[in-house]
Each structure stands twice: as C-alpha cells, then as structure tokens.
Amino acid sequence: MSKYDFLPDKLNISITCASGVEKVVKSELNRLGYESAPAINGRITFSGDMLSVARCNLFMRSADRVYIKVAEFPAETFDQLFDGVKGVRWEDYIPKDGKVTVNGKCVKSTLFAISACQSLVKKAIADRLCGVYHLNRLNETGAEYPLEFSVFKDTVSLYINTSGAGLHKRGYRDMVGIAPIKETLASSLLLLSDFYKDRPFADPFCGSGTIAIEGARIALDIAGGIGRRFAFNDWANFDQKIFDLAFTEAKDKERRDRKLEFFASDVDPKAIKLAKRHAERAGVADKIRFEVKDVKHFCSSLKNGTIVTNPPYGERVYDKKEAEECYKSFGNAYKNLDGWSAFVITSANNFERYFGKKCDRERKLYNSNKECKYYYYYGKKEKIND
Ligand SMILES: C[S@@+](CC[C@H](N)C(=O)[O-])C[C@H]1O[C@@H](n2cnc3c(N)ncnc32)[C@H](O)[C@@H]1O
C-alpha cells in the first residue's frame, strides 16, 4: 500500500493539440470511448479518471499533451490570483515531497506580467501545501508535478501536465534530419487522409522517415506512446497498476505481424540512412521499403494507394525554384499512378500550379508555427479482383 492517498477518481481532463487538428483529436478520443466537449482555444476537454489519463497519453497520436484541469476562477488582481490558487485543494494532487514547477501565459487580461504571476502561483501553492503538511518550506525532493496556468480574458485556469515532454517525443527519433515534421503532425496528416492499413502507402519525400513510420505504427495498431514514459509514471500518488492496465491493453491490440505495402523514398542517401535507423528504433524497419530515389522516378505497379508527404517548401534548404521543380516532377509522376490519392502539406502558395492539378479539398494547418495548406487529391479507387 502506498504511503500516499491516490489521486481523485473524477478528473476534468484537457487535451492540447496543434491548431487545425482538433477534429482528429476528437475522433481519436471517440475511438478510445470518450465523449468530449467542442474544442475551445486549442483544448479539448472531457471527464475521466487516471485510467483515462494513462490511456490518452499512451494511445493518442495527434495530441500534444494531456492535462488535468484543477480549477478555474476570475482574477484581475494579484491578490485575487493568490487567493484563488491557494484555495485549491492541491493536497489532492501533490504529495508532501512533490516538486512543483510553474509555467503560464496571460492573454487579453488585466494581469499580464507573466513572471510575476508565475512566482505568485508557485508561492500560493507552496503556502497551501506547507499549511496542510505542516512544513516550513516545501522540500521538493520527490517527482515533478508540472503546473501550467493560463489567464485568458481575466479567467485563470490551472492545469497539471500529466505527459511531461510533448507527446510528439515518441522516443524513436534520436537524430535530426532536414526539416523533420513532428510525429504528432505526421499522424494527424495520416488520420486526415484516406490512408488505410490494407492499402499501399508511399512517401516520396520521406526525409528522416517520420510519416512512413507513424503510418506503419498506425497500420500495426502500435500505440503512439508505447516506447516512452510520462510525467505521471513518476508520481508516488499514482497507482502504477492503472498504467499496467493501459499498457496491457496497448500490447493486446498490437498486430505487428500484419503485412504492409509501405514505400518511403528520398533523393538524399543520408536521409534514407536516418529514416532506416528511426524505423529500426520504432520497431517497423521490416515493414517499410526505403529507397534513394528522385521523385521524378517515383512509380508503382500497385493500385489504389495513398501518398502522404511533406515536400521541400523552398524556404530553408531548398530554394523556391528547386521546390517548384520538385512539385512539377511529383505532379508528372502522380499522373501515372493508378487510383492513388495524394495528400501534400506545404507552405508554398503556388503548389497546385507546379503540381499541375487543382486539389479536391484543402485545409489550413501549421507546421512548427508556419501556416501551411494540406492539399487533398482523391484517387479514383478501382475495384481489384482477388
Ligand atoms: C521537408 S523534408 C521532409 C521531412 C520529413 N517529413 C521528415 O519528417 O523528416 C523534404 C525532403 O525532400 C527531399 N527531396 C528534395 N528534393 C527531392 C527530389 N527531387 N526527390 C525526392 N526527394 C527530394 C529532401 O532530401 C528532404 O529530405
């Protein structure tokens, strides 16, 4: 039996994600069996318990972080902020030796001095916990409880970050390639596309392999966060048996023996070497065929596949002209693909012109804060005789 009381049974859970992918997060939550409220300011909330927290961290592919929302109250002065924070039952969440770190932001509010608010929030929590635990000062020798506050239009919201590092840190990508895409965005692109596990898949600009690796893990039902730890794993007042339940569920769902037709290519041999290394670390190296290839030679004898790709934008490594050449070659190669769909993210406004085709749909997304468009080209799927 733990020397600590366990965390509360009923929790207000709040999930953050990149702007534009809220729909993906909501459907992931639905698939996990949770009914969420509409997204507000990039946060999707629902009620659950610590098993829900563990399952969301472990299974979700598109979410940035999973938080417990602890309180919300109005405040326009430092006194109101201090009293509001001190009034929260922090002892329900943070044990005697818990280490409290505080981060936050103030938007469109009377309180706007972030570092002053940060110190005050920390002081109010320390005062509360010292009173309850009969301490002169917090010793903070235990696990970290990362706290985040937001003051938005004079309303303070307080959250505990249960994930720790962002969920894009799956653990398999240990070296950086050229302009890699976040794992969470890669998964969101796949989940927005018509990609399906028993269809061929390709990324002809694969770089360090992120999109193909995330796709293979989706197709094999390997949970997004299977290879990593989360902040709550270190909490002494979290019953680790709950995590074991979620972990066993994730392992039971895996279908690592599924046969996939996955292709990933790039003109740069160094990128392919890195992609292979990451695929190895992600446990999917034997599921993806990697090849050094210029997109102008990209072809497939297979039908009805899906391309999800992140070509050069013509900004950092490649200049505008080189990027436009890539789009042209890609467009020409795409003409010869039977029934394939293509889903392309880029910040270049003239993509359709050089690709040579108007898209069927587009969606605004952000890649590392850069506004991009995600272009959808639906292939005419043909019936395949088996
Ligand atoms: C934006 S990066 C892709 C990053 C990748 N999504 C990742 O997560 O690492 C674009 C990639 O396109 C590749 N590339 C540029 N021109 C190409 C061409 N003509 N054919 C194939 N790949 C090309 C580059 O080598 C680079 O790796």
Side-chain angles (χ1 to χ4, degrees), residues 179-181 204-208 210 266-268 293-295 310 312 318 326:
I181 197 166
F205 298 97
C206 75
S208 59
T210 321
D266 196 289
V267 74
D268 180 358
K293 189 187 266 184
D294 192 305
V295 73
N310 169 216
Y318 289 82
C326 276

Side-chain angles (χ1 to χ4, degrees), residues 35-36 43 54 102 118 132 135 159 175-176 193 204 211 240 245 256 268 286 384:
E35 204 53 59
S36 60
R43 285 189 180 267
V102 180
Q118 217 162 300
V132 173
L135 300 168
Y159 303 93
M175 289 170 78
V176 185
S193 78
I211 301 176
Q240 294 298 328
L245 268 180
R256 288 185 188 252
D268 180 358
D286 58 336
I384 300 173

Side-chain angles (χ1 to χ4, degrees), residues 66-343:
V66 180
Y67 294 86
I68 297 170
K69 185 171 182 184
V70 177
E72 188 171 278
F73 55 86
E76 289 181 18
T77 65
F78 285 132
D79 282 349
Q80 287 168 342
L81 177 65
F82 187 87
D83 292 345
V85 175
K86 195 173 170 185
V88 174
R89 287 183 55 90
W90 291 106
E91 61 276 17
D92 288 349
Y93 302 93
I94 304 172
K96 195 174 181 176
D97 62 352
K99 179 174 177 210
V100 183
T101 50
V102 180
N103 275 300
K105 58 180 181 218
C106 303
V107 182
K108 296 181 186 163
S109 297
T110 317
L111 289 167
F112 64 88
I114 297 176
S115 60
C117 291
Q118 217 162 300
S119 313
L120 204 78
V121 169
K122 170 92 193 221
K123 184 165 178 359
I125 298 174
D127 266 23
R128 170 83 191 199
L129 291 178
C130 285
V132 173
Y133 294 131
H134 310 292
L135 300 168
N136 292 328
R137 54 189 285 274
L138 290 184
N139 58 44
E140 303 195 282
T141 51
E144 183 180 352
Y145 289 74
L147 187 108
E148 286 183 26
F149 69 87
S150 101
V151 191
F152 182 67
K153 293 188 179 167
D154 297 329
T155 297
V156 179
S157 305
L158 300 165
Y159 303 93
I160 297 175
N161 168 9
T162 71
S163 306
L167 294 179
H168 66 281
K169 297 211 172 198
R170 313 280 205 228
Y172 62 77
R173 221 168 66 175
D174 62 341
M175 289 170 78
V176 185
I178 297 172
I181 197 166
K182 267 190 180 174
E183 294 82 338
T184 39
L185 179 58
S187 268
S188 303
L189 298 180
L190 288 152
L191 296 171
L192 284 166
S193 78
D194 67 1
F195 146 85
Y196 195 68
K197 54 183 164 258
D198 61 4
R199 284 208 199 123
F201 169 84
D203 178 358
F205 298 97
C206 75
S208 59
T210 321
I211 301 176
I213 292 169
E214 288 294 311
R217 284 168 61 121
I218 294 172
L220 301 174
D221 289 310
I222 299 174
I226 201 75
R228 59 163 278 172
R229 288 177 66 78
F230 308 97
F232 70 82
N233 284 124
D234 296 327
W235 295 351
N237 58 346
F238 169 66
D239 182 355
Q240 294 298 328
K241 283 195 222 86
I242 293 176
F243 182 70
D244 296 344
L245 268 180
F247 191 81
T248 307
E249 179 189 349
K251 282 290 173 197
D252 285 350
K253 281 185 171 156
E254 284 183 358
R255 293 292 174 268
R256 288 185 188 252
D257 52 356
R258 232 171 235 151
K259 200 174 162 306
L260 307 182
E261 298 280 11
F262 266 53
F263 305 87
S265 50
D266 196 289
V267 74
D268 180 358
K270 283 203 240 88
I272 292 299
K273 196 170 166 211
L274 192 56
K276 283 184 178 167
R277 174 191 172 93
H278 290 161
E280 188 73 49
R281 290 169 55 85
V284 294
D286 58 336
K287 302 290 177 182
I288 306 169
R289 269 173 270 174
F290 290 101
E291 209 181 337
V292 177
K293 189 187 266 184
D294 192 305
V295 73
K296 70 180 170 211
H297 301 305
F298 181 75
C299 61
S300 176
S301 56
L302 300 170
K303 292 183 176 191
N304 301 348
T306 296
I307 292 169
V308 178
T309 198
N310 169 216
Y313 296 175
E315 287 173 0
R316 278 199 268 172
V317 184
Y318 289 82
D319 68 22
K320 245 170 124 72
K321 270 228 132 343
E322 287 170 315
E324 287 162 4
E325 267 318 302
C326 276
Y327 303 160
K328 229 191 247 175
S329 306
F330 180 27
N332 287 334
Y334 181 62
K335 279 185 203 144
N336 301 320
L337 293 172
D338 223 358
W340 281 64
S341 299
F343 295 82

